[in-house]
């Protein structure tokens, strides 16, 4: 049997990191083979690279791996598949399972099959993780593992691993269950039984690793309901990994623990935890580049959130560490890990940090790179946020034509969301940019579309604002008489908005004019994101000012979202009357003609406050899901359009 095959090791991307290559590594093929076996038994992240080198040395010496060794090599290689190499993991695990069967290693074969189902793609698997069908197959594997363990053909670590993978698949499906809370309770019971099964064998480092991962999973699904209990479980998980001599396995738990600490207000402890993880000087193995990128991203979020919290509570100031950490995250997100999601998110946040400090040229470069990554990754909230910040930077750089196009493209995509208020806000913002560009007719039409969108969402007050802004552009384009007609329409909308606001005010609302605490008036910002004060926050309805604009008619543009990268720019141009770059609003055109509109309503001296109200990129999709920062959906920051808030248009 060949030591490797093109289909098994030729991934198109090398998953291994140079840092895992020991400087004192032997040259003898059999010593290399012994080392690879030892690293595999230890669960060492360098095992995949060690098998690669051992297989190469054996082939050159005229030898080959046995089926059992070949299977272990494929398992280790698949476990190393991250980032761009991740799609190769499923097929590698399935091939490893077949080889384990040939070698008579039935327990290992079940583990490989279970990992293949979780990793996907493959029979029953998929890129987004196991679905209901794969979960059912994992349940069958769990029963087979239990039966094999009873007759001595699967050891405790192998059986516990299969059981853990099944529980993990169930946890990933919690938010799709008819009763997620009840299902979460059932998964906790399954994990409790797993802990009871494995605990008597904790002297085995492999079993201790499974116990640590089981406690981490238990902490994850406990966090939304009982953060204190989750903290205890996650700390115990990290301690178990260290006690078993496998500190490299604790990165995910460290991210989860730091996220729960942030939600409980323990920023200092979260910061210390992440700094310690990044400062580890253990040379073997060094921290994976992809893990370092995520830890830097989480630490940047934590220190920035702590700084914002201390500023609002009058506490001590902290050094601005966010930007260096984000730059380091960008640096480490490439290479073998090639984590597009982490790299693009770090670039977005670094670009935002630059934009907030007025460094709009540098910010624009980073935001363009982030947008390319988000287009590849396919996260609409991330694309909308990147485009909106890019447009805001362009507007502040005097590139109003580009700003209007980016706001327009952001609005097109946002209008496909269930909550179309962000699309309406971005539509208003597009009209602002058109006005700054000295194109009053186009701006007037865009404001009219924004008003129609606000009416469709039921926000007549915001519609009135868009109409008032339209009247100013109508006055420039068509004169006072036409403007007065629009102002009359705005007055009617405003009156309707006041009537509806008064009718919807409940007994627990404070009286009009009463100051409302910020935490009740607007959703919590993402940790680490400073927020400029909104133009206004109304007391009666938990109102958030997130005025913003981009063009479009709901029906026409909701259908066009699927072509956002390929054909939307042309469609937006048609909708708004944009011609070519030369014949539409050039940046040198009469910016002063409509500049007063932007200065009065949008805060030309700094970022548009509504940018902060856009949905969080790569946010948790459900109560029990985990986002890129390690935050569980039930304990992370509230969504920008959480119940009790409403996005409003600009003055």
């Amino acid at each position: 049997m060949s030591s490797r095959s093109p289909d098994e090791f030729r991934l198109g991307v090398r998953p291994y990191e140079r840092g895992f290559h020991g400087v004192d590594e032997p040259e003898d093929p059999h010593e290399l083979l012994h080392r690879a076996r030892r690293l595999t038994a230890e669960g060492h992240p360098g095992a995949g690279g060690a098998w690669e080198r051992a297989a190469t040395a054996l082939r050159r010496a005229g030898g080959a791996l046995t089926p059992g060794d070949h299977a272990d090599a494929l398992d280790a290689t698949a476990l190393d598949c991250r980032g761009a190499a991740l799609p190769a993991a499923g097929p590698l695990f399935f091939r490893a399972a077949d080889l384990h069967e040939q070698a008579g290693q039935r327990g290992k074969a079940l583990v490989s099959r279970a990992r293949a189902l979780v990793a996907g793609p493959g029979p029953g698997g998929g890129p987004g993780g196991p679905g209901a069908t794969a979960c059912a197959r994992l349940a069958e594997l769990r029963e087979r593992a239990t039966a094999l363990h009873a007759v001595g053909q699967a050891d405790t670590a192998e059986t516990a691993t299969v059981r853990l993978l099944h529980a993990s698949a169930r946890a990933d499906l919690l938010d799709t269950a008819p009763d997620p809370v009840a299902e979460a309770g059932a998964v906790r019971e399954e994990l409790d039984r797993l802990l009871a099964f494995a605990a008597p064998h904790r002297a085995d480092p492999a079993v201790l690793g499974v116990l640590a991962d089981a406690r981490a999973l238990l902490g994850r699904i406990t966090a939304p309901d009982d953060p204190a209990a989750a903290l205890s479980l996650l700390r115990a998980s990290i301690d178990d990994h260290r006690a078993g001599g496998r500190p490299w396995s604790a990165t995910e738990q460290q991210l989860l623990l730091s996220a729960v600490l942030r939600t409980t207000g323990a920023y200092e402890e979260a910061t210390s935890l992440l700094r310690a993880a990044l400062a580890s000087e253990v040379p073997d193995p060094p921290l994976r580049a992809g893990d370092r990128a995520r830890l830097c991203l989480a630490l940047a979020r934590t220190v920035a959130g702590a700084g914002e919290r201390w500023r609002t509570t009058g506490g001590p100031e902290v050094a601005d560490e966010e930007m260096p950490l984000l730059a380091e995250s960008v640096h480490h997100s490439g290479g073998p890990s090639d984590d597009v999601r982490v790299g693009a998110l770090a670039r977005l946040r670094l670009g935002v940090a630059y934009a907030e400090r007025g460094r709009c040229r540098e910010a624009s470069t980073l935001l363009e790179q982030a947008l390319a990554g988000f287009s590849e990754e396919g996260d609409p909230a991330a694309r909308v946020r990147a485009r909106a910040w890019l447009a805001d930077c362009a507007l502040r750089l005097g590139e109003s034509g580009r700003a209007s196009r980016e706001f327009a493209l952001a609005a097109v995509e946002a209008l496909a969301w269930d909550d179309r208020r962000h699309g309406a806000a971005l539509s208003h913002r597009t009209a602002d940019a058109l006005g700054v560009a000295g194109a009053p007719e186009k701006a007037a039409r865009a404001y009219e579309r924004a008003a129609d969108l606000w009416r469709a969402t039921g926000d007549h007050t915001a519609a009135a604002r868009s109409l008032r802004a339209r009247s100013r552009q109508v006055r420039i384009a068509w004169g006072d008489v036409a403007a007065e007609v629009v102002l009359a329409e705005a007055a009617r909308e405003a009156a309707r908005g006041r009537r509806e606001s008064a009718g919807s005010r409940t007994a627990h609302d404070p009286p009009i004019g009463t100051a409302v605490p910020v935490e009740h008036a607007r959703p919590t910002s993402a940790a680490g994101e400073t927020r400029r004060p909104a133009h206004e926050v109304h007391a009666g309805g938990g109102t958030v000012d997130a005025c913003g604009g981009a063009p479009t008619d709901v029906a026409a543009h909701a259908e066009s979202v699927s072509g956002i990268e390929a054909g939307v720019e042309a469609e937006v141009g048609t909708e708004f009357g944009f011609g070519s770059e030369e014949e539409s609003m050039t940046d040198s055109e009469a910016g002063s003609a409509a500049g007063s509109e932007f200065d009065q309503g949008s805060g030309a001296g700094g970022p548009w406050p509504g940018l902060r109200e856009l949905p969080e990129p790569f946010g948790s999709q459900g109560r029990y899901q985990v986002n890129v920062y390690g935050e569980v959906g039930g304990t992370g920051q509230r969504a920008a359009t959480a119940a009790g808030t409403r996005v409003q248009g600009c003055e």
Side-chain angles (χ1 to χ4, degrees), residues 135-310:
C135 194
R137 295 188 63 190
L138 284 164
E140 295 174 2
L141 293 178
R142 178 196 59 188
E143 298 307 318
R144 288 170 59 187
T146 301
L148 288 177
H149 182 264
V151 297
Q153 294 188 25
D155 64 27
T156 301
E158 292 161 354
T159 305
T161 299
V162 175
R163 293 177 66 170
L164 176 62
L165 290 168
H166 175 253
S168 178
R170 288 185 70 185
D172 288 340
L173 295 173
L174 283 177
D175 291 292
T176 65
D179 187 345
V181 175
E183 178 65 9
V187 176
R188 289 191 195 99
E189 291 177 3
E190 180 177 348
L191 288 168
D192 287 339
R193 291 192 295 272
L194 170 56
L195 292 171
F197 166 76
H201 307 276
R202 62 180 291 118
D204 180 350
V207 175
L208 191 55
V210 178
L211 284 168
D213 289 338
R215 286 195 174 93
L217 181 58
L218 194 54
R220 168 190 151 188
I221 63 177
T222 300
D225 305 306
D226 190 349
L231 289 173
S232 177
L233 288 162
L234 291 168
R235 289 189 179 107
S237 173
I238 293 172
D239 289 343
D240 281 347
H241 277 307
R242 289 172 178 161
R246 302 182 179 194
W248 55 78
S249 300
T251 299
E252 198 65 36
Q253 286 88 325
Q254 289 165 334
L255 288 166
L256 283 166
L257 178 56
S258 67
V260 179
L261 286 169
R262 284 197 299 271
T263 64
T264 60
Y267 282 93
E268 290 186 29
E269 186 178 351
T271 301
S272 298
L273 170 72
L274 293 169
R275 282 180 178 150
L278 286 164
S280 174
E281 297 180 356
V282 178
D284 185 25
L287 192 62
R288 293 177 184 269
D291 289 342
R292 184 173 290 277
R294 289 189 66 195
L295 289 167
C296 286
L297 188 62
L299 182 55
R301 189 174 181 84
T302 304
V303 297
E308 177 67 13
R309 180 170 176 263
W310 285 326

Side-chain angles (χ1 to χ4, degrees), residues 265-596:
Y267 282 93
E268 290 186 29
E269 186 178 351
T271 301
S272 298
L273 170 72
L274 293 169
R275 282 180 178 150
L278 286 164
S280 174
E281 297 180 356
V282 178
D284 185 25
L287 192 62
R288 293 177 184 269
D291 289 342
R292 184 173 290 277
R294 289 189 66 195
L295 289 167
C296 286
L297 188 62
L299 182 55
R301 189 174 181 84
T302 304
V303 297
E308 177 67 13
R309 180 170 176 263
W310 285 326
R311 280 191 292 274
T312 57
T313 58
E317 289 290 334
V318 294
D320 186 1
E321 299 178 72
E322 184 183 14
M323 289 196 294
L325 286 166
L326 291 171
E328 187 175 354
S329 180
V330 169
H331 172 72
H332 289 292
S333 62
S337 63
D338 193 21
D339 195 325
V340 174
R341 180 176 60 169
V342 172
L345 186 54
R347 286 181 176 87
L348 171 60
R349 295 202 58 195
L350 185 56
V352 168
Y354 281 149
E356 289 180 326
R357 290 157 179 79
R359 299 165 62 176
C360 292
R361 289 288 179 197
E362 296 163 278
S364 294
T365 299
L366 285 162
L367 292 168
E368 287 170 352
Q369 294 170 350
L371 187 57
F374 293 142
S375 296
E376 180 178 341
E377 185 67 18
D379 184 79
R383 285 196 298 270
V384 168
R385 181 170 286 217
R387 285 195 187 281
W389 274 100
L390 189 58
D392 194 82
C393 286
L395 201 51
R396 287 191 281 154
L397 288 168
E399 301 170 0
S400 49
R402 182 185 184 189
S404 63
R405 291 173 185 279
E406 293 295 346
F407 275 130
L409 289 165
V412 168
E413 195 146 16
L415 284 169
W417 299 342
D418 291 339
D419 185 346
R420 291 184 174 177
R421 293 173 295 176
H422 293 294
L426 288 164
S427 297
H428 185 117
R429 193 63 174 159
T430 301
D432 285 343
L434 289 165
V436 174
E441 298 93 342
K442 296 171 185 175
R445 289 195 294 271
Y447 281 126
E448 184 176 24
R449 294 185 187 95
D452 290 341
L453 292 171
W454 283 120
R455 287 191 191 99
T457 68
D459 193 336
H460 298 283
T461 302
R465 290 180 176 144
S466 293
L467 288 169
R468 284 198 295 270
R470 169 174 160 77
S471 72
R472 291 190 281 270
Q473 298 300 322
V474 167
R475 192 178 303 277
I476 296 171
W478 295 293
D480 292 345
V481 174
E484 291 304 319
V485 173
V486 178
L487 279 174
E489 184 182 1
R492 290 192 294 272
E493 286 293 333
R496 185 176 178 184
R498 287 193 296 271
R499 287 195 301 272
E500 293 191 355
S501 177
S504 63
R505 190 174 297 114
T506 59
H508 66 267
D509 285 332
I512 294 176
T514 302
V516 179
V518 173
E519 62 268 24
H520 296 148
R522 61 166 63 246
T524 305
S525 65
E529 295 184 347
T530 56
R531 189 195 295 275
R532 290 173 55 86
H535 295 309
E536 58 180 272
V537 179
H538 297 282
T543 303
V544 177
D545 182 293
C547 49
T552 74
D553 147 82
V554 177
H557 292 294
E559 295 176 0
S560 70
V561 173
S562 60
I564 186 73
E565 294 301 332
V568 159
E569 185 162 349
E571 189 164 342
V572 168
T574 301
E575 180 70 22
F576 290 93
F578 293 167
S580 66
E581 279 302 327
E582 293 75 22
E583 69 184 18
S584 89
M585 22 156 199
T586 62
D587 297 328
S588 60
E589 285 179 355
S592 60
S596 58

